[in-house]
Amino acid sequence: MKNKKWISLATAVVLAVTALPLGVFAAKKDEAELAKVTLNEVAHSIFYAPQYVAIEEGYFKDEGLDLTLITGFGADKTMTAVISGEADIGFMGAEASIYAYQEGATDPVVNFAQLTQRAGNFLVAREEMPDFKWEDLKGRKVLGGRKGGMPEMVFEYILKQNGLDPQKDLSIDQSIDFGATAAAFTGDNSADFTVEFEPSATALEKQGAGYVVASLGVDSGYVPYTSYSAKTSYMEKNPDIMQKFTDALQKGMDYVQSHTPEEIAEVIEPQFPETDLDTITAIVKRYYDQDTWKENLVFGQDGFELLQDILEDAGELKERTPYAELVNTEFAQNAS
């Protein structure tokens, strides 16, 4: 009997000792089986909340993807990363894919999912202007965006819609790097207004250094502002990864459609450690209330043509590009 007890005890010890390494090996094997995907985003902003929900809720991992997120700080840099192969997927304004196509790209970067349907920036004034009208910009200096970029083109589109000539009726400073305009606005009093993304717009308000007087997203109407794209060759070689990536994104879109700004803010808070939860919540609510995020990821033809209208209006389009050349809706339509 003693021998049997010792044998049972020894067996139990062996099983206990071997269970941990087996578990570790299994976990490492699961990680190894995840498909690696590098995503380069144009900026890291609460504006893109559904993407961060998908990351924080583990939707990409659930789809079998090991996602690496890199911030490009500008559509030109994000596009360069995609074309060079440093990134598998780019997230930026679709105008970048049109520019690349016009330059004669042999492996076109094609848009396959649209995230935002409104502009995400705001006009900030030095003083409170509860009765602000766009005509108030006449004769004023504004810190704008990069020439040919969506923020600047949508801004100029709104000005023209309101009877203003961007070149003659006001002064727009386009020399400041993306993300540095808020600091320039507080460091130099020469400009009367600045066009800002979040969290910079809210940060200026909290500092008492500026006041949001208009939303470019509201005043420009529905515009396909940001989308996901990849080289044609990558999409053709990796259709499974493309579908899984889009499925994960769609789950993020579904989440923001079915949860409150407070709930969304709590989920994405780890993505913005430098911003307190109250500020994140206020920003999410601002975007939520103006219907920023689409219900689905399908990049429709009407939106693509409107985008080209804006490019033409800004003098940035050599010739119009057929929708079918630069948009693939297959993955978005099949997303679940």
Side-chain angles (χ1 to χ4, degrees), residues 6-287:
W6 278 110
I7 291 169
S8 297
L9 181 60
T11 303
V13 171
V14 170
L15 287 173
V17 171
T18 56
L20 180 60
L22 285 172
V24 171
F25 292 145
K28 286 185 176 178
K29 184 183 177 188
D30 287 343
E31 286 179 16
E33 288 175 352
L34 294 176
K36 295 185 181 298
V37 178
T38 300
L39 169 64
N40 190 300
E41 60 177 0
V42 63
H44 197 71
S45 171
I46 296 165
F47 184 40
Y48 312 132
Q51 172 180 287
Y52 306 126
V53 167
I55 292 171
E56 294 299 326
E57 289 293 284
Y59 297 151
F60 288 103
K61 188 168 284 188
D62 290 346
E63 292 293 336
L65 301 179
D66 178 9
L67 184 73
T68 298
L69 181 65
I70 297 170
T71 304
F73 298 104
D76 52 341
K77 297 179 180 65
T78 296
M79 177 57 75
T80 298
V82 174
I83 291 174
S84 69
E86 289 179 23
D88 303 310
I89 295 172
F91 177 57
M92 63 197 121
E95 79 283 354
S97 65
I98 295 176
Y99 296 153
Y101 185 82
Q102 287 183 345
E103 294 300 319
T106 55
D107 189 1
V109 175
V110 174
N111 302 281
F112 65 90
Q114 179 189 336
L115 187 81
T116 55
Q117 60 183 3
R118 287 191 185 276
N121 41 3
F122 301 87
L123 184 69
V124 179
R126 291 198 181 274
E127 303 170 355
E128 291 185 88
M129 301 177 69
D131 301 317
F132 171 80
K133 301 181 296 298
W134 286 99
E135 302 90 79
D136 295 337
L137 293 182
K138 210 160 191 177
R140 302 295 191 93
K141 180 180 177 180
V142 182
L143 300 184
R146 177 178 57 84
K147 185 181 186 312
M150 276 299 283
E152 178 62 23
M153 289 191 296
V154 169
F155 178 47
E156 293 186 13
Y157 176 75
I158 293 171
L159 293 176
K160 291 173 183 176
Q161 293 292 105
N162 286 274
L164 293 173
D165 185 326
Q167 276 71 48
K168 296 178 180 178
D169 291 331
L170 66 158
S171 171
I172 304 175
D173 185 345
Q174 297 180 271
S175 67
I176 301 169
D177 287 342
F178 182 86
T181 49
F185 189 66
T186 55
D188 180 356
N189 291 326
S190 65
D192 305 294
F193 299 84
T194 181
V195 178
E196 296 294 336
F197 275 95
E198 295 288 15
S200 297
T202 296
L204 286 171
E205 285 192 320
K206 287 202 165 191
Q207 294 168 28
Y211 302 89
V212 172
V213 295
S215 163
L216 275 71
V218 170
D219 290 343
S220 63
Y222 290 111
V223 175
Y225 204 79
T226 46
S227 59
Y228 295 87
S229 55
K231 286 195 293 190
T232 301
S233 59
Y234 182 85
M235 295 172 74
E236 290 175 348
K237 186 179 178 182
N238 302 283
D240 288 347
I241 289 178
M242 297 298 300
Q243 190 61 62
K244 289 174 179 178
F245 181 92
T246 311
D247 287 351
L249 277 178
Q250 184 61 60
K251 289 176 184 175
M253 299 290 268
D254 293 342
Y255 187 99
V256 300
Q257 294 293 334
S258 58
H259 290 75
T260 65
E262 290 77 12
E263 290 169 326
I264 297 166
E266 284 186 15
V267 170
I268 69 172
E269 183 184 14
Q271 289 282 327
F272 302 94
E274 73 289 348
T275 308
D276 64 84
L277 183 58
D278 286 345
T279 300
I280 295 172
T281 304
I283 294 170
V284 169
K285 189 174 189 312
R286 182 172 271 169
Y287 285 133

